[in-house]
Amino acid sequence: LLRLASNTGGQGGATLHVVALDTSLSMQRDGVWARAQEQARGIAGSVRGGDRVMLVAADHRLRVLQEPVFGAQRGVVAAAIGSLEPGWSRLDYGALMSGSTAWGGGAGERVVLHFITDLQQSAGPLRFADLQAPPGVTLALVDVGQDLPPNLRVAQVAVDERDAKAIEVRIDGDAEAARGRTAVLTLNGVERGRQPLPANGELPMTLDFQVGELSEGEH
């Protein structure tokens, strides 16, 4: 069950508008991020009077970029939106819903979560129930992924179980999008290999990159 609301909330009483921008990898596609920023600025610009607005960036973590401010100060939210860019990680919609419990409104204040995303299937949680917004939070979903071309995604990156000196990369998505594309593996800022994607290959496909011994820790 998804509770939907308009951008302005209900009638009477104050509303806290939480503008949550999807900053995962897929938002880097041509035109998507520009649409997302436009929508976010429009929501922030509509806040008036005693209503408040805040800005959250959502990918593998949730970052509050602007704490709640009243409508008269909405310009600081617009400035923060302009400085934000999508990154390289994955978003889990379930984590966003559970994390939204931290953005409770003040006394008598409703909370509307304006979630701006391109609705990638890979962001879906393991359990459908995790998509439910917590009590007191109304979801206003803003889809900026309409009419987009075929897409690819990195489904998994891991050390090859058969060869500890190799990295295994699993690519999934639309086979049409693989034509003319090259997978490039970069470790700690250094390119370690590249492989053209087969034009007629079936997805998902798995690529192996020889990288040698890796030290313990994050890379």
Side-chain angles (χ1 to χ4, degrees):
L1 174 65
L2 296 178
R3 293 189 294 269
L4 302 180
S6 68
N7 287 347
T8 55
Q11 298 296 321
T15 301
L16 171 60
H17 297 273
V18 181
V19 180
L21 265 169
D22 180 349
T23 54
S24 63
L25 175 62
S26 64
M27 297 292 286
Q28 294 189 26
R29 288 179 294 168
D30 289 344
V32 176
W33 186 244
R35 283 200 292 270
Q37 288 181 306
E38 181 182 4
Q39 290 288 338
R41 290 191 188 99
I43 295 168
S46 69
V47 177
R48 296 288 189 276
D51 289 350
R52 298 191 298 163
V53 59
M54 64 183 291
L55 179 64
V56 175
D59 43 42
H60 69 288
R61 55 183 177 149
L62 301 178
R63 293 174 291 149
V64 176
L65 301 181
Q66 176 58 57
E67 296 287 350
V69 296
F70 288 102
Q73 300 171 287
R74 58 187 178 275
V76 298
V77 178
I81 292 168
S83 64
L84 186 61
E85 293 183 353
W88 297 93
S89 56
R90 172 185 175 271
L91 170 65
D92 185 313
Y93 290 154
L96 173 67
M97 290 296 102
S98 62
S100 64
T101 57
W103 311 317
E109 191 176 43
R110 296 184 302 275
V111 178
V112 178
L113 173 60
H114 304 269
F115 181 33
I116 304 171
T117 179
D118 60 346
L119 289 177
Q120 289 290 297
Q121 183 178 358
S122 60
L126 294 177
R127 301 188 311 155
F128 183 79
D130 291 339
L131 291 172
Q132 175 66 51
V137 176
T138 301
L139 178 64
L141 189 63
V142 182
D143 178 13
V144 293
Q146 314 97 316
D147 303 324
L148 292 174
N151 187 28
L152 294 175
R153 68 185 178 95
V154 178
Q156 184 179 27
V157 178
V159 176
D160 193 326
E161 294 181 353
R162 300 160 299 178
D163 184 356
K165 296 182 179 181
I167 295 293
E168 188 177 81
V169 179
R170 189 167 180 262
I171 306 292
D172 204 350
D174 303 307
E176 181 182 349
R179 298 189 185 122
R181 305 292 290 276
T182 299
V184 180
L185 178 69
T186 302
L187 274 175
N188 306 324
V190 178
E191 182 179 322
R192 302 295 296 273
R194 58 176 57 211
Q195 295 184 34
L197 300 184
N200 57 350
E202 294 185 358
L203 294 178
M205 66 175 65
T206 300
L207 307 174
D208 279 318
F209 293 87
Q210 289 293 326
V211 297
E213 296 284 353
L214 293 177
S215 60
E216 291 185 3
E218 295 183 347
H219 297 273

